[in-house]
């Protein structure tokens, strides 16, 4: 892996957000999260649901209809 550049990661994320108009909260990974989560990702999109303690609650590979996302989110909220 090339040298980790935190500012470069933030700048790239900001550029993507501006280009896509993605108006929602984004998680910008630090090097340890990148190594732990993304090095094994084999498909895009892959969505991680992470709690306030950094625990991965659920991983979803692929896209789904809005109702399916709502169901997952509601189930996770009920478990908290």
């Amino acid at each position: 892996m090339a040298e980790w550049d935190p500012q470069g990661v933030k700048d790239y994320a900001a550029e993507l957000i501006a280009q896509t108009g993605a108006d929602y909260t984004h998680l910008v990974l630090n090097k340890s999260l990148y190594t732990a989560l993304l090095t094994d990702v084999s498909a895009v999109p892959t969505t991680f649901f992470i709690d306030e303690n950094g625990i991965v609650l659920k991983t979803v590979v692929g896209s789904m209809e809005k109702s399916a996302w709502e169901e997952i989110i509601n189930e996770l909220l009920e478990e908290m």
Side-chain angles (χ1 to χ4, degrees):
M1 176 191 298
E3 182 72 26
W4 187 258
D5 176 15
Q7 188 58 50
V9 171
K10 290 177 189 175
D11 292 345
Y12 183 63
E15 181 181 323
L16 286 175
I17 292 165
Q19 288 176 2
T20 62
D23 185 25
Y24 48 81
T25 302
H26 293 79
L27 174 67
V28 178
L29 302 179
N30 61 23
K31 185 175 183 178
S32 62
L33 279 173
Y34 173 82
T35 302
L37 294 176
L38 296 185
T39 55
D40 293 330
V41 169
S42 60
V44 174
T46 298
T47 302
F48 299 95
F49 290 90
I50 302 171
D51 73 8
E52 67 274 5
N53 297 311
I55 307 286
V56 177
L57 303 174
K58 186 168 187 72
T59 302
V60 177
V61 177
S63 62
M64 295 189 295
E65 296 292 325
K66 180 181 177 182
S67 60
W69 288 114
E70 288 173 340
E71 185 177 327
I72 290 172
I73 291 167
N74 289 332
E75 287 173 2
L76 290 171
L77 288 173
E78 285 177 15
E79 293 173 7
M80 296 182 111

